[in-house]
């Protein structure tokens, strides 16, 4: 099998892993078992000088890494479901240099917490506001 096909299958497996994980909840134990299985397959392929177990192990490992990557992104998002449809106020700090256009400015704001709970870890929001007053990095604002 040419190297280009191997790379294609490994990258396709990563994408399939992300897609599968976006629809199906997969426990961490299953991911660890798959990672161990792929490692064993790679080791067997290397020790027996056979290419198929190595390729299978790499494809399986790529699939597992795609699933794990999606899990990590999903965990990092705050759950603000309890605030839907309600008006809330968040306080935060302007994190990046504001992007200014002719009529508006866009601010990346780091929010450490939300009134009423729902966010255990700090997260970022994108705020679009009028051109004035102008904000700078480090300004504390309430939205």
């Amino acid at each position: 099998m040419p190297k280009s096909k191997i790379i294609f299958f490994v990258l396709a497996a990563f994408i399939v892993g992300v897609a599968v994980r976006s629809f199906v909840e997969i426990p961490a134990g299953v991911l660890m078992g798959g990672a161990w299985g792929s490692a064993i397959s790679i080791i067997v392929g290397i020790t027996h000088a056979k290419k198929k177990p190595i390729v299978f192990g790499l494809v399986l490992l790529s699939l597992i890494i795609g699933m794990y990557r999606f899990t990590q992104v999903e965990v990092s998002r705050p759950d603000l479901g309890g605030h839907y449809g309600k008006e809330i106020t968040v306080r935060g700090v302007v994190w990046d240099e504001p992007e200014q256009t002719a009529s508006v400015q866009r601010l990346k704001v780091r929010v450490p917490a939300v009134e009423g709970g729902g966010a255990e870890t700090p997260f970022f929001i994108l705020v679009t506001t009028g051109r004035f007053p102008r904000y700078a990095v480090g300004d504390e604002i309430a939205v």
Side-chain angles (χ1 to χ4, degrees), residues 69-123:
R69 175 68 179 123
F70 187 87
T71 301
Q72 293 307 308
V73 169
E74 193 175 62
V75 167
S76 67
R77 282 189 278 158
D79 180 23
L80 300 176
H83 299 290
Y84 290 160
K86 300 176 185 173
E87 190 171 313
I88 62 169
T89 302
V90 294
R91 297 186 185 282
V93 176
V94 177
W95 197 256
D96 278 342
E97 201 62 42
E99 177 187 323
Q100 308 221 352
T101 64
S103 59
V104 297
Q105 61 181 333
R106 290 180 183 84
L107 314 168
K108 182 177 181 181
V109 178
R110 183 174 188 262
V111 179
V114 177
E115 292 176 5
E120 299 81 32
T121 60
F123 62 96

Side-chain angles (χ1 to χ4, degrees), residues 110-135:
R110 183 174 188 262
V111 179
V114 177
E115 292 176 5
E120 299 81 32
T121 60
F123 62 96
F124 292 98
I125 60 171
L126 183 63
V127 177
T128 303
T129 182
R131 236 182 118 157
F132 297 102
R134 295 203 176 196
Y135 295 101

Side-chain angles (χ1 to χ4, degrees), residues 22-73:
S22 69
F23 293 110
V24 180
E25 181 75 28
I26 298 174
V30 172
L31 294 178
M32 285 300 289
W36 278 107
S38 66
I40 290 170
S41 177
I42 293 169
I43 291 169
V44 166
I46 290 172
T47 57
H48 289 59
K50 294 192 178 182
K51 198 172 188 178
K52 282 187 181 179
I54 295 172
V55 172
F56 175 76
L58 288 174
V59 169
L60 181 61
L61 185 63
S62 182
L63 182 80
I64 298 297
I65 290 172
M67 291 177 185
Y68 180 75
R69 175 68 179 123
F70 187 87
T71 301
Q72 293 307 308
V73 169

